[in-house]
């Protein structure tokens, strides 16, 4: 019997080592094989796909197109569970102010920069951009059922963020996890078979591993 596979897409940009190590860790007790790949056929053949991203949005989009993996990622987004991480989440939307840059257009909306100059946090310190560090993510949003990838993860659990831009999905129903940094913003978005996070699950201790573990068994 063929083992199920998760392809972590290597298009030349992204936190590949830590993402793949985290996914491999949670896959140890399952029948899932984790493959870091720059081969489009591997992405097409995989049962699930993880799309990481790190750095400048325009660089990530350009490198994805140049890698020959773009069509395979779009096919995955249409046919199988896909998990976007950090800039890999931002790439799923229509457009980003960073550049500005067109995204993949898989979830309607835009990516905008934090505008927090001169504003103070509750403790009197200034908001810094990028946001770097731990922040609570709330997924019980009174918009219907909680997304299944949050199973076993407490509402308000802390996750690790590093970002200057954040997603603004056009449809509030596509925001399935929210954090507050000078205002509420979408920390996780989802549509059909796609789930993505602005934070880094692979840097977020047990709750981040739980998200990846749930992804391995998610059947949208």
């Amino acid at each position: 019997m063929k083992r199920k596979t998760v392809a972590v897409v290597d298009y030349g940009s992204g936190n590949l080592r830590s993402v793949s190590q985290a996914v491999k860790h949670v896959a140890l007790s399952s029948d899932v094989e984790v493959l870091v790949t720059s081969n489009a056929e591997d992405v097409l053949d995989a049962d699930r796909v993880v799309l990481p991203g790190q750095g400048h949005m325009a660089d990530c989009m350009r490198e994805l197109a140049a890698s020959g993996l773009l069509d395979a990622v779009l096919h995955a987004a249409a046919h199988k569970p896909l998990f976007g991480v950090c800039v890999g989440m931002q790439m799923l939307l229509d457009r980003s102010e960073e550049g500005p840059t067109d995204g993949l257009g898989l979830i309607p909306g835009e990516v905008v920069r934090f505008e927090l100059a001169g504003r103070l946090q509750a403790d009197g310190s200034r908001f810094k951009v990028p946001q770097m560090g731990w922040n609570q993510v709330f997924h019980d949003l009174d918009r219907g059922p909680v997304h299944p990838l949050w199973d076993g993860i407490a509402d308000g659990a802390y996750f690790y963020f590093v970002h200057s831009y954040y997603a603004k999905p056009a449809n509030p129903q596509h925001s399935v996890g929210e954090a507050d940094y000078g205002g509420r913003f979408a920390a996780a978005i989802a549509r059909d078979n796609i789930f993505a996070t602005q934070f880094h699950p692979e840097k977020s201790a047990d709750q981040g591993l739980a998200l990846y573990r749930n992804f391995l068994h998610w059947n949208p």
Side-chain angles (χ1 to χ4, degrees):
M1 180 173 167
K2 181 184 175 184
R3 295 185 70 187
K4 294 180 179 179
T5 56
V6 177
V8 180
V9 184
D10 178 7
Y11 58 96
S13 180
N15 200 10
L16 278 174
R17 176 171 170 76
S18 57
V19 170
S20 61
Q21 288 301 111
V23 180
K24 286 178 180 178
H25 178 77
V26 300
L28 284 175
S29 58
S30 71
D31 62 346
V32 178
E33 179 182 1
V34 181
L35 181 67
V36 179
T37 182
S38 57
N39 186 309
E41 288 300 320
D42 290 338
V43 177
L44 291 170
D45 290 343
D47 299 289
R48 301 168 191 275
V49 172
V50 177
L51 178 68
Q54 187 169 278
H56 196 283
M57 171 82 164
D59 292 341
C60 290
M61 288 298 300
R62 182 173 57 252
E63 289 173 13
L64 179 61
S67 70
L69 292 164
L70 176 58
D71 287 345
V73 169
L74 292 174
H75 182 273
H79 295 96
K80 63 190 73 174
L82 182 143
F83 195 132
V85 182
C86 195
V87 179
M89 165 184 165
Q90 297 177 5
M91 293 164 71
L92 301 176
L93 285 90
D94 294 318
R95 182 179 180 276
S96 174
E97 288 183 348
E98 187 176 24
T101 308
D102 288 336
L104 298 173
L106 296 169
I107 296 180
E110 60 180 345
V111 179
V112 300
R113 183 175 171 83
F114 282 118
E115 297 296 344
L116 301 172
R119 294 185 54 189
L120 301 179
Q121 302 191 62
D123 62 3
S125 63
R126 290 183 179 275
F127 282 101
K128 297 179 180 179
V129 178
Q131 176 190 194
M132 296 181 64
W134 296 85
N135 201 350
Q136 286 181 284
V137 176
F138 299 93
H139 54 250
D140 191 356
L141 302 173
D142 296 325
R143 294 180 190 146
V146 171
H147 195 281
L149 259 67
W150 295 117
D151 185 47
I153 300 170
D155 190 40
Y158 282 84
F159 291 86
Y160 190 81
F161 290 80
V162 182
H163 64 126
S164 300
Y165 294 80
Y166 62 94
K168 289 182 66 177
N171 184 346
Q173 295 290 333
H174 291 154
S175 177
V176 297
E178 296 183 354
D180 194 300
Y181 195 67
R184 200 89 160 189
F185 69 91
I189 60 176
R191 180 184 66 78
D192 302 329
N193 55 299
I194 299 171
F195 183 92
T197 64
Q198 180 61 66
F199 55 83
H200 291 270
E202 69 281 359
K203 298 180 180 178
S204 298
D206 290 346
Q207 56 271 28
L209 293 177
L211 260 185
Y212 282 142
R213 186 178 296 109
N214 289 341
F215 175 67
L216 294 186
H217 303 287
W218 178 40
N219 292 303

